Amino acid sequence: MPRRARRPSGAGTGDPIRRAPTKVWEGRLGAATARRVEEYTESLSFDRRLFADDIEGSLAHARMLRETGLLTAGQHRAIAAGLRAVRRELELGEFADAPADEDIHTAVERRLHELIGPDAGRLHTARSRNDQVATDLRLWCRRRVMDLALGCAGLQEALIARARDHRLTPLPGYTHTQRAQVVSLAHHLLAYVEMLERDVERLLETHRRCDVLPLGSGALAGTTLPIDRDLTRRALRFAALSANSLDAVSDRDFAVELTFACALLMVHLSRLAEELVLWTTAEFGFAELPDAYATGSSLMPQKKNADVCELARARAGRVTGDLVTLLSVLKGLPLAYDRDLQEDKQPLFDAVDTAEASLAVLTEVVAQVSFDTRAMRRAASDPMLLATDVAEHLVTRGLPFREAHLLVGRVVRECVASRRTLADLSLAEWRRHSRLFDEEVLGLFELDGALRRRELPGGPGPRAVSRALARAARRAARTREHVASLGA
Ligand code: ARG
């Protein structure tokens, strides 16, 4: 009985439904949805941001329906104009939610019905929210992937610009956070450029994975209506059509991959951020943040803190959590669509937003941080950092490396005990340890020479770094061209 009472006027009689149904599925259920259920199941609060993609998808779908004769030209005109009007309302923040709007898809359809009447009900022909939301999400990811790739290129360019001035700035390279060997500041900065290059590759690969159109898969089993999936594909500029309707509505691999790309990108950014935290300590003193990019203390007047870097470091943890959340949502889901899939959005959105914001702020920090190259040179001037070079000096004179290592280790131990350093030893002292030493050993402790001995490809030698810089700049430019060609 209540079921009958809730039927919209005309339903079941063949007459058109004159008002928008409160729920798209209200024909089936006899009672109004409980308030708590509405609150618990809604996704409009977080999927509203898909509106532009939702409407783009609907416009393409409607055009295909017209071209296949499932809509008349007049119906199509009304629907397309209505969709554009809804889009304008959403863009201007003038869109009024209705209490029963479940998600962005039903909200747009409800509003379309209010604007153009019953013809709105024809838009969902041969479509389910299941293939609709999968399409929206792919469009959204495809766009954001390109923004992220551009963000990576921007940070690369900032690192490259700083590195250009520092091919000859010696810096201690570290292992185990202990000074290890001499590198240059340029070489150190270029290490992050390489990480970011792999991030770019991963993002562009993700773009390819997003570039598949699920629309036409219906709820799970396609449709009996004579649609043309390829028309929609071309309108939305997807590279391919999904090959299996069950997979198409339940596949979120592209979202996982994008979230993973963001998580690893954030891990890279957290390492850069951590180094900036370390370098700006009094203990290191290698860098100083511009005041506009530092923060103070509410209590200690003297403090200048690197909160931006600390937050980037922490947010790598949050995005890692997003990835685990998403994988956990998908794990064990039976085919095809399950409502669990609605939970893909918050972790995905958070991962992408966080990565993009972190890239943007760290790009500015890198561009503006000041380096204390004298402090770096001082730290790199410890002759112990060249102990390996001494061992290699012996190797070139015929000693097996293991023996050279032991021998130089003993020299280092003696120096430490007598509070001297390797550069203090005379040739006679060196030759007491091995007759293989010649006067060249005395010249090993000059820093510029130490860098120039390292000109192998991929090494910190100034000429090798020049080549690396040129290549890195070309790759960043290529990323920008590539993204432009993908239609960002
Ligand atoms: N809000 C839903 C989601 O994000 C849309 C699809 C709903 N489909 C359904 N059969 N209830 O996944």
Side-chain angles (χ1 to χ4, degrees):
M1 245 174 35
R3 175 178 298 190
R4 193 159 272 282
R6 271 185 51 79
R7 280 229 175 119
S9 62
T13 66
D15 294 341
I17 299 171
R18 288 293 160 209
R19 66 169 181 79
T22 311
K23 286 284 190 292
V24 286
W25 31 258
E26 71 179 13
R28 168 66 179 84
L29 300 183
T33 312
R35 168 63 58 85
R36 263 192 213 288
V37 171
E38 282 189 335
E39 285 172 4
Y40 193 71
T41 56
E42 70 86 27
S43 56
L44 182 59
S45 53
F46 51 89
D47 66 16
R48 171 191 302 273
R49 62 191 299 178
L50 293 174
F51 79 82
D53 304 296
D54 192 71
I55 290 177
E56 190 188 346
S58 287
L59 285 168
H61 181 68
R63 209 163 81 203
M64 179 278 290
L65 292 177
R66 184 199 66 200
E67 288 182 34
T68 51
L70 288 158
L71 285 181
T72 65
Q75 289 161 348
H76 171 255
R77 238 189 334 273
I79 288 173
L83 283 170
R84 291 197 186 94
V86 176
R87 180 164 62 194
R88 242 178 343 266
E89 289 182 3
L90 280 154
E91 278 165 0
L92 298 173
E94 286 169 359
F95 185 93
D97 298 353
D101 288 345
E102 199 180 308
D103 51 28
I104 186 62
H105 326 292
T106 50
V108 168
E109 197 180 322
R110 186 260 311 155
R111 183 65 187 137
L112 184 66
H113 197 287
E114 289 167 7
L115 292 175
I116 72 164
D119 275 342
R122 301 181 186 277
L123 172 60
H124 214 53
T125 305
R127 187 174 72 170
S128 154
R129 273 184 299 161
N130 298 352
D131 56 352
Q132 184 179 0
V133 70
T135 301
D136 292 5
L137 217 50
R138 284 172 177 275
L139 286 169
W140 187 88
C141 287
R142 216 173 55 170
R143 240 174 342 102
R144 296 300 298 269
V145 156
M146 301 204 270
D147 296 338
L148 283 165
L150 289 179
C152 288
L155 178 52
Q156 285 179 316
E157 287 157 352
L159 288 159
I160 292 166
R162 299 307 305 270
R164 283 211 172 95
D165 298 332
H166 294 292
R167 287 179 316 126
L168 300 171
T169 303
L171 176 77
Y174 293 79
T175 62
H176 313 269
T177 328
Q178 308 281 340
R179 289 179 190 163
Q181 288 187 294
V182 179
V183 296
S184 68
L185 175 55
H187 193 58
H188 192 105
L189 296 174
L190 283 177
Y192 288 101
V193 173
E194 291 304 312
M195 294 182 216
L196 288 161
E197 190 60 25
R198 295 191 292 276
D199 292 321
V200 167
E201 283 170 19
R202 253 184 300 278
L203 287 165
L204 295 178
E205 178 65 22
T206 305
H207 183 279
R208 217 168 58 80
R209 204 88 70 209
C210 294
D211 212 9
V212 176
L213 176 68
L215 217 53
S217 302
L220 74 160
T223 175
T224 62
L225 296 167
I227 63 169
D228 183 341
R229 295 189 65 202
D230 208 55
L231 275 181
T232 325
R233 180 189 71 74
R234 273 178 278 148
L236 293 172
R237 293 182 297 111
F238 276 98
L241 289 176
S242 58
N244 179 294
S245 60
L246 295 167
D247 178 48
V249 294
S250 59
D251 170 28
R252 295 293 182 273
D253 292 2
F254 63 96
V256 172
E257 288 177 43
L258 176 50
T259 305
F260 172 69
C262 289
L264 189 46
L265 167 59
M266 284 303 295
V267 166
H268 294 156
L269 297 184
S270 78
R271 298 180 71 175
L272 175 62
E274 165 63 5
E275 296 211 305
L276 287 168
V277 170
L278 279 178
W279 285 13
T280 53
T281 58
E283 284 72 10
F284 270 83
F286 289 173
E288 186 176 353
L289 291 175
D291 285 359
Y293 289 86
T295 40
S297 157
S298 62
L299 187 145
M300 299 166 283
Q302 87 286 9
K303 286 301 295 279
K304 179 168 176 180
N305 298 328
D307 291 30
V308 166
C309 299
E310 293 174 302
L311 287 169
R313 192 171 64 182
R315 286 176 191 170
R318 219 180 63 209
V319 176
T320 303
D322 291 331
L323 175 62
V324 174
T325 301
L326 197 47
L327 286 168
S328 309
V329 164
L330 296 176
K331 179 193 166 296
L333 278 190
L335 289 175
Y337 178 87
D338 299 279
R339 189 64 178 268
D340 310 52
L341 290 170
Q342 179 168 291
E343 295 287 300
D344 58 1
K345 290 171 200 63
Q346 288 125 311
L348 170 68
F349 294 164
D350 181 62
V352 172
D353 291 345
T354 304
E356 209 174 304
S358 305
L359 277 170
V361 73
L362 286 176
T363 300
E364 293 179 21
V365 168
V366 164
Q368 297 190 44
V369 66
S370 61
F371 294 120
D372 187 339
T373 57
R374 295 215 335 230
M376 290 178 180
R377 182 175 278 276
R378 214 178 307 123
S381 298
D382 178 356
M384 293 300 190
L385 301 193
L386 296 159
T388 312
D389 296 40
V390 177
E392 288 171 356
H393 169 92
L394 291 175
V395 166
T396 59
R397 278 130 184 100
L399 198 63
F401 177 76
R402 274 286 149 252
E403 287 177 39
H405 186 291
L406 282 176
L407 189 151
V408 178
R410 276 196 298 273
V411 180
V412 168
R413 186 143 48 91
E414 280 180 25
C415 281
V416 170
S418 58
R419 293 178 181 283
R420 297 170 77 203
T421 177
L422 294 177
D424 299 333
L425 300 188
S426 66
L427 182 58
E429 286 172 299
W430 280 115
R431 286 176 66 86
R432 266 213 302 285
H433 290 283
S434 166
R435 306 300 295 169
L436 291 172
F437 283 117
D438 56 52
E439 65 280 356
E440 223 174 78
V441 71
L442 302 178
L444 290 180
F445 303 102
E446 196 266 315
L447 282 183
D448 298 328
L451 282 178
R452 276 198 301 275
R453 284 194 293 275
R454 294 175 154 74
E455 291 289 11
L456 285 178
R463 294 209 334 247
V465 168
S466 285
R467 284 191 296 274
L469 274 167
R471 209 175 39 134
R474 278 198 304 275
R475 286 185 315 199
R478 211 175 317 131
T479 298
R480 290 195 180 279
E481 282 164 27
H482 189 98
V483 169
S485 78
L486 290 171

